[in-house]
Amino acid sequence: PSRGGTRDRPGRVVTSARDQPTPAHPGAGRRLVGDLGRTGPMPILTVPAAVRAILLDIDGTLVDHRGAADVASYQWASTLPGWSLGSGETAELWETLDRRYFTRYQMGELAFGDRLRARIRDDVPGFPTRLRRAGADRPGGPLTVAYLSNGDQAPQREKLAAVGALEADWPLLASVQLGASKPSAGIFEEACRRLSVAPSHALMIGDDPWADVDGALGAGLCVVYLRRDGGSPERDVPTVDGLDAILIE
């Protein structure tokens, strides 16, 4: 999943300060049009022609990083002398440590274990989804799609390639290279600058209510919340349960 945000496991609701939405950009509500001005679950959501760029989260949106990490962490930990925790307990412990130390890793303070990274890369499954286009010619002009992720470009590119979700012409914008991480407004602003699009004409699609949804709203972007788990915190934005529910006008 996108790192640093609230991550709910199926059937479990996590209650914390991060469950509560942070204020949106003052002008965000005035810019939303069409389906992007709606809230709550939507079976089909049409991205209006006014949107000139889409920013796609990677972990939890295109790649099931959490599931792969659960498998890989136990495969690795079970080889350690005296390790007695089962697979579920190991996964819970790894998730706790992951949340605690990932920010320090992505800012270069900590090194990520190459062995475990390789296991996660080898085991990672993808979500069978693709954005759908309504037609070949777009009335609003060309649309740029880019990946926006907390992490480093190299391992994120490896994961996307492993699940067949790597598009050669989509820029991969990662927090390590951008110098800021979600939910900071800085990463969204820098992403929009690099794509030469105003935040008001950019759409963030992600599964993390804190890092993706609140962060993008705070920077003035439109947002679609990919809420795969019904137990995840709600947000007052359009919500879908899969990328195949999103239709590009």
Side-chain angles (χ1 to χ4, degrees), residues 131-154:
L131 294 174
R132 299 189 295 156
R133 291 184 178 275
D137 296 324
R138 194 164 185 265
L143 175 72
T144 299
V145 181
Y147 306 101
L148 183 64
S149 177
N150 279 353
D152 194 352
Q153 282 182 345

Side-chain angles (χ1 to χ4, degrees), residues 202-220:
L203 170 65
M204 178 69 204
I205 301 174
D207 74 307
D208 191 304
W210 180 66
D212 297 324
V213 179
D214 294 350
L217 287 176

Side-chain angles (χ1 to χ4, degrees), residues 107-175:
M107 298 311 295
E109 298 177 14
L110 297 174
F112 192 80
D114 290 338
R115 181 181 178 189
L116 186 55
R117 189 187 87 182
R119 285 185 180 274
I120 292 176
R121 179 197 62 211
D122 292 343
D123 291 330
V124 65
F127 293 110
T129 52
R130 285 289 186 274
L131 294 174
R132 299 189 295 156
R133 291 184 178 275
D137 296 324
R138 194 164 185 265
L143 175 72
T144 299
V145 181
Y147 306 101
L148 183 64
S149 177
N150 279 353
D152 194 352
Q153 282 182 345
Q156 295 298 72
R157 192 177 300 277
E158 289 177 2
K159 286 190 290 186
L160 288 169
V163 301
L166 181 62
E167 300 288 345
D169 58 342
W170 291 4
L172 201 167
L173 308 175
S175 59

Side-chain angles (χ1 to χ4, degrees), residues 22-39 199-202 213 216-223 236-238:
T22 54
H25 187 279
R30 293 192 295 273
R31 289 192 302 272
L32 302 180
V33 294
D35 284 352
L36 295 183
R38 303 175 185 274
T39 61
S200 59
H201 291 280
V213 179
L217 287 176
L221 283 72
C222 302
V223 178
D236 195 21
V237 296

Side-chain angles (χ1 to χ4, degrees), residues 58-201:
I58 295 177
D59 293 318
T61 298
L62 295 169
V63 173
D64 186 8
H65 179 92
R66 182 74 271 146
D70 288 353
V71 172
S73 59
Y74 181 68
Q75 288 179 343
W76 169 72
S78 61
T79 65
L80 301 176
W83 190 265
S84 60
L85 296 181
S87 58
E89 294 171 304
T90 300
E92 292 285 350
L93 176 59
W94 173 255
E95 186 174 352
T96 299
L97 295 174
D98 190 25
R99 290 178 182 172
R100 183 181 305 168
Y101 293 111
F102 188 82
T103 300
R104 293 181 60 193
Y105 151 69
Q106 66 186 23
M107 298 311 295
E109 298 177 14
L110 297 174
F112 192 80
D114 290 338
R115 181 181 178 189
L116 186 55
R117 189 187 87 182
R119 285 185 180 274
I120 292 176
R121 179 197 62 211
D122 292 343
D123 291 330
V124 65
F127 293 110
T129 52
R130 285 289 186 274
L131 294 174
R132 299 189 295 156
R133 291 184 178 275
D137 296 324
R138 194 164 185 265
L143 175 72
T144 299
V145 181
Y147 306 101
L148 183 64
S149 177
N150 279 353
D152 194 352
Q153 282 182 345
Q156 295 298 72
R157 192 177 300 277
E158 289 177 2
K159 286 190 290 186
L160 288 169
V163 301
L166 181 62
E167 300 288 345
D169 58 342
W170 291 4
L172 201 167
L173 308 175
S175 59
V176 170
Q177 285 71 35
L178 295 181
S181 59
K182 297 181 287 185
S184 168
I187 189 172
F188 298 99
E189 293 166 353
E190 178 61 16
C192 289
R193 187 190 71 78
R194 295 195 181 198
L195 299 177
S196 300
V197 63
S200 59
H201 291 280

